Structures are given as structure tokens and as C-alpha cells.
């Protein structure tokens, strides 16, 4: 029998709610993107949302968004396990324990969550999960990233849990917005002499 003291319980609670597990922003492709949290089961914005400026939309990586945040990873992994075909799923019983072990051993937000999870399961249980067996769209909405696209003034343009759909819808405007940002960073007017040194081969734009 395992007895937990109040200190043990409080320490585990503090670890679970540590700021690094629920960050208020993340850096993606050189851009810091705001993260918000809503707990309102059934509401359209329930879960984790990421605010994406229009000029950063096309460089935002859907694979990284699949990871959500560290504090929701174990729940996301368990939900993904539950979408697997029964023949595969039974080899992972008990699901909660395997989900916890799998989540603890994953290098967060490095590459594809599905590929990393399949490799981790193979290590833990010697079970091979084909890529086609995963059903990420069957995961409950609150465990799928909600992307909120905003314009240069911060006005919301659209929101969706389908990043590819947003990219297709706003591709032209996103490219134009990025080009305007690039011009602000690079262009100068009224230049009468070469007073700016050698031109760089590339420029990082924040």
C-alpha cells in the first residue's frame, strides 16, 4: 500500500502546473506566437489556441502544433491511442499507463508527433504502428490546436483547427503581408552614397 503525504500531493500538483508546461507563448520559425487556454467543454474555443500573425502563417508548422503544450501531451497521447484500430490498441493495454510512459520519453515538439510516438511505442512495447493507423482528426477538438489568424493591427481574420485550410484561404494575403514586413526591414529611401557596408546574403526578419 502506498501512502501519499500532503507534501507529495502538493509537489506533484505544482509540477503539473509549472509555467514551462503551460507557456503563454512559443517560438516558431523566428516568430513568438501567443498561446491561450480555455476550459469550456463543448465551446468552439475549448482547449489551446495559438495566435498567428498573417505574415507568419505560411511558415507555421502544423507538425509542431500537433504537440500542443507539454502539460497537455499525455492527454493528447492517450486520445491518439484511443483512435487506433482495436487490433493495435489491445497491444497497448493499459492505455493510461502506456500513454504516461510514452509522453514522458518524447522529445517535445521535435518533428512529427505521430512518428515520434510510433518510435516510442516500439521501444516500450515492441509494437509497430503503421502511419495510416493513426486518426488525428478523430481526437477531441480540445486536444487539437486552434489557430487564430490576425492581421497587422491584431484584428482577428479567422480561426480553425485546420492549419492547411487557413494557409490555402489566406495564402495570397499572407505573402503580401510578409513582403511588406520585409520591405520595412530592408528598404531605405534617399540614399545618395554607399554608407551601409556589404549587402548580406540573407536577412532574418522578426
Amino acid at each position: 500500500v502506498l501512502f501519499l503525504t500532503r507534501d507529495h500531493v502538493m509537489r506533484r500538483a505544482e509540477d503539473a502546473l509549472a509555467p514551462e508546461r503551460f507557456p503563454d507563448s512559443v517560438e516558431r520559425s523566428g516568430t513568438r506566437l501567443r498561446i491561450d487556454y480555455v476550459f469550456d467543454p463543448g465551446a468552439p474555443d475549448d482547449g489551446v489556441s495559438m495566435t498567428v500573425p498573417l505574415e507568419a502563417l505560411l511558415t507555421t508548422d502544423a507538425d509542431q502544433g500537433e504537440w500542443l503544450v507539454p502539460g497537455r501531451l499525455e492527454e493528447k497521447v492517450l486520445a491518439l491511442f484511443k483512435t487506433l484500430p482495436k487490433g493495435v490498441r489491445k497491444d497497448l493495454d493499459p492505455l493510461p499507463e502506456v500513454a504516461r510512459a510514452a509522453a514522458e520519453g518524447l522529445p517535445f515538439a521535435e518533428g512529427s508527433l505521430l512518428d515520434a510516438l510510433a518510435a516510442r511505442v516500439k521501444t516500450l512495447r515492441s509494437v509497430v504502428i503503421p502511419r495510416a493507423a493513426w486518426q488525428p482528426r478523430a481526437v477531441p477538438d480540445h486536444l487539437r490546436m486552434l489557430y487564430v489568424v490576425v492581421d497587422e493591427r491584431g484584428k482577428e481574420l479567422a480561426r480553425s483547427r485546420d492549419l492547411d485550410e487557413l494557409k490555402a484561404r489566406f495564402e495570397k494575403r499572407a505573402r503580401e503581408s510578409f513582403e511588406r514586413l520585409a520591405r520595412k526591414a530592408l528598404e531605405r529611401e534617399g540614399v545618395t552614397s554607399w554608407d551601409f557596408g556589404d549587402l548580406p546574403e540573407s536577412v532574418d526578419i522578426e
Side-chain angles (χ1 to χ4, degrees), residues 74 78 81-82 92-102:
E74 182 181 327
L78 179 58
F81 283 168
K82 290 180 178 179
L92 301 179
D93 284 334
L95 291 183
E97 291 183 16
V98 179
R100 184 177 304 111

Side-chain angles (χ1 to χ4, degrees), residues 160-178:
S160 174
R161 299 187 192 273
D162 188 337
L163 182 59
D164 290 336
E165 183 271 329
L166 289 172
K167 287 183 177 182
R169 196 193 327 173
F170 290 100
E171 180 176 9
K172 184 174 184 295
R173 288 185 63 180
R175 291 191 186 282
E176 291 172 348
S177 181
F178 180 79

Side-chain angles (χ1 to χ4, degrees), residues 22-182:
F22 293 91
D24 56 12
S25 66
V26 294
E27 187 171 330
R28 296 286 184 264
S29 302
T31 304
R32 186 153 290 282
L33 306 176
R34 194 181 81 204
I35 298 292
D36 292 294
Y37 304 88
V38 171
F39 179 72
D40 189 3
D45 58 350
D46 185 30
V48 185
S49 65
M50 176 185 291
T51 299
V52 183
L54 187 59
E55 61 269 16
L57 177 60
L58 298 184
T59 59
T60 300
D61 188 348
D63 276 347
Q64 291 183 319
E66 283 292 318
W67 293 80
L68 294 178
V69 293
R72 303 303 294 271
L73 182 58
E74 182 181 327
E75 187 181 358
K76 175 73 175 274
V77 168
L78 179 58
L80 283 168
F81 283 168
K82 290 180 178 179
T83 71
L84 291 170
K86 186 177 181 180
V88 178
R89 196 169 64 241
K90 65 180 179 61
D91 292 329
L92 301 179
D93 284 334
L95 291 183
E97 291 183 16
V98 179
R100 184 177 304 111
E104 289 175 351
L106 291 175
F108 188 79
E110 293 185 14
S112 162
L113 170 59
L114 300 183
D115 291 344
L117 188 52
R120 180 69 177 149
V121 167
K122 185 176 180 181
T123 298
L124 289 172
R125 286 295 184 93
S126 299
V127 174
V128 176
I129 302 179
R131 183 63 183 254
W134 299 108
Q135 302 296 325
R137 290 184 178 272
V139 168
D141 276 351
H142 74 280
L143 293 174
R144 299 174 61 206
M145 184 68 80
L146 176 64
Y147 298 93
V148 182
V149 181
V150 297
D151 66 13
E152 296 90 339
R153 296 178 298 278
K155 178 183 177 182
E156 182 177 324
L157 299 175
R159 58 176 55 204
S160 174
R161 299 187 192 273
D162 188 337
L163 182 59
D164 290 336
E165 183 271 329
L166 289 172
K167 287 183 177 182
R169 196 193 327 173
F170 290 100
E171 180 176 9
K172 184 174 184 295
R173 288 185 63 180
R175 291 191 186 282
E176 291 172 348
S177 181
F178 180 79
E179 287 170 3
R180 285 196 297 273
L181 184 67

